[in-house]
């Protein structure tokens, strides 16, 4: 398996523009997570899905952020309008429930977003 | 108080040193404790995990959990320059993980 795939790897955009980040989870995984990582706040969970259904979006910072998972192999995180404080690395991760009830999450390479 | 606290470092050691990385947590209900390693400009990857209290060893790495003091540790023996990375502790809730901010480790040859 190719692992979790994210695109684009880098995104530079101007304030006010719409940004769409994409993720393809590992085949067979039924959980998908979106994280944001900054030096100040570390790795923060934004939202997660189970079987394509959003379970908890309490980490989404504002209404400018939205996420969808139309099918088991694709998810998007959209920011509209973008602001300079949204600059961060955004990670997508996927997992399945292990036999021991542990949840090993497999992370993608991340999208480095810069909003000017 | 944050759920998971971790010293950001950086921690600089010479090659061959024993490294100790630590986290504290606040929620006593947590059962699974994980360590992720993140190389520069890469995504985190699971290094090892432990269930409840006790030790777990994997090669040069030992993970230790003390639930009575809500303290988790990762020990690296015979550290190598290739161990230079950021190490994040993670605590599992129902189906999600809460991460510490990570400790940057630098191992010099």
């Amino acid at each position: 398996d190719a692992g979790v795939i994210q695109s684009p790897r880098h995104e530079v955009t101007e304030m006010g523009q719409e940004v769409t980040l994409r993720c393809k989870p590992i085949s067979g995984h039924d959980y998908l997570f979106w994280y944001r990582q900054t030096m100040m706040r570390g790795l923060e969970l934004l939202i997660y899905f189970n079987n394509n259904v959003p379970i908890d979006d309490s980490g989404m910072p504002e209404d400018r952020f939205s996420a969808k998972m139309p099918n088991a192999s694709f998810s998007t995180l959209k920011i509209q309008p973008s602001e300079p404080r949204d600059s961060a690395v955004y990670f997508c991760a996927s997992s399945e429930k292990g036999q021991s009830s542990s949840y090993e999450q497999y992370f993608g390479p991340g999208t480095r977003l810069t909003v000017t | 108080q944050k759920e998971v606290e971790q010293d950001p470092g950086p921690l600089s050691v010479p090659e061959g040193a024993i490294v100790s990385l630590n986290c504290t947590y606040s929620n006593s209900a947590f059962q699974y404790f994980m360590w992720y390693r993140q190389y520069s400009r890469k995504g985190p990857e699971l290094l090892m995990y432990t269930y409840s209290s006790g030790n777990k060893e994997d090669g040069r790495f030992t993970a230790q959990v003390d639930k009575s003091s809500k303290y988790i540790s990762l020990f690296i023996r015979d550290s190598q320059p290739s161990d230079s990375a950021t190490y994040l502790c993670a605590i599992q809730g129902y189906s999600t993980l809460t991460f510490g901010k990570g400790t940057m480790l630098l191992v010099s040859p």
Side-chain angles (χ1 to χ4, degrees), chain A residues 31 33 35 37 40-41 43 45 48 91 100-105 107-108 112, chain B residues 32 34 36 38 41-44 46 49 88 92 94-97 99-101:
Chain A
Y31 287 87
F33 306 83
Y35 290 90
Q37 187 176 41
M40 287 294 293
R41 302 175 68 88
L43 196 61
L45 177 64
Y48 80 98
F91 288 102
S100 58
S101 295
S102 66
Y103 290 81
E104 177 179 354
Q105 294 186 16
F107 283 76
R112 186 172 296 271
Chain B
Y32 284 91
M34 301 178 176
Y36 278 75
Q38 185 176 21
R41 296 186 174 268
K42 302 286 187 182
L46 182 67
Y49 76 88
L88 300 99
Q92 181 176 311
Y94 176 64
S95 55
T96 62
L97 298 177
F99 285 86
K101 286 189 176 181

Side-chain angles (χ1 to χ4, degrees), chain B residues 40-87:
Chain B
S40 180
R41 296 186 174 268
K42 302 286 187 182
E45 57 181 353
L46 182 67
L47 191 59
M48 55 194 306
Y49 76 88
T50 55
Y51 173 73
S52 194
S53 284
N55 292 1
K56 184 175 183 180
E57 189 173 318
D58 184 2
R60 296 184 295 110
F61 299 88
T62 300
Q64 190 174 80
V65 177
D66 182 349
K67 292 194 74 176
S68 63
S69 56
K70 299 178 188 172
Y71 196 81
I72 64 174
S73 302
L74 178 70
F75 299 96
I76 307 174
R77 292 186 301 278
D78 187 26
S79 57
Q80 302 295 309
S82 59
D83 295 329
S84 297
T86 296
Y87 291 79

